[in-house]
């Protein structure tokens, strides 16, 4: 995926902005609504730890059996813990948007 980020960055500002909007704004909003808002909330009936680990494992699994699986799992734990502690999906969304945005910018210029 780094090659895709670099290609978008080299294709002009429009491509880079579209990549940032879709990958750093739309993606995190959708993922947090699903994995924290639906999955983690739905798993709470089995306890907070099951909810946190279960939603994080599913979050990592949708990112595929790739080099980012472990990273996605750890970030899922962080986003999930933030959601659980704050009680607000928006806190997790903001953190996820920030994380993805910084990563996309970093990998686009490297």
């Amino acid at each position: 995926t780094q090659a895709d980020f670099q290609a978008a960055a080299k294709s002009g500002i429009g491509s880079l902005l579209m990549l940032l909007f879709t990958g750093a704004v739309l993606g995190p909003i959708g993922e947090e609504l699903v994995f924290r808002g639906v999955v983690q909330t739905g798993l709470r009936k089995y306890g907070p730890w099951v909810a946190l680990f279960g939603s994080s494992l599913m979050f990592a699994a949708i990112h595929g059996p790739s080099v980012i699986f472990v990273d996605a799992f750890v970030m899922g734990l962080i986003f999930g813990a933030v959601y659980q502690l704050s009680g607000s999906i928006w806190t997790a969304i903001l953190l996820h948007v920030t994380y993805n945005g910084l990563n996309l910018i970093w990998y686009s210029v490297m």
Side-chain angles (χ1 to χ4, degrees), residues 12 16 27 30 40 59 96 102 107:
L16 181 58
Q40 188 168 340
F59 177 73
H96 196 156
L102 291 173
Y107 287 114

Side-chain angles (χ1 to χ4, degrees), residues 10-24:
K10 292 176 183 172
S11 296
I13 191 71
S15 294
L16 181 58
L17 291 175
M18 184 60 73
L19 173 69
L20 286 171
F21 181 68
T22 57

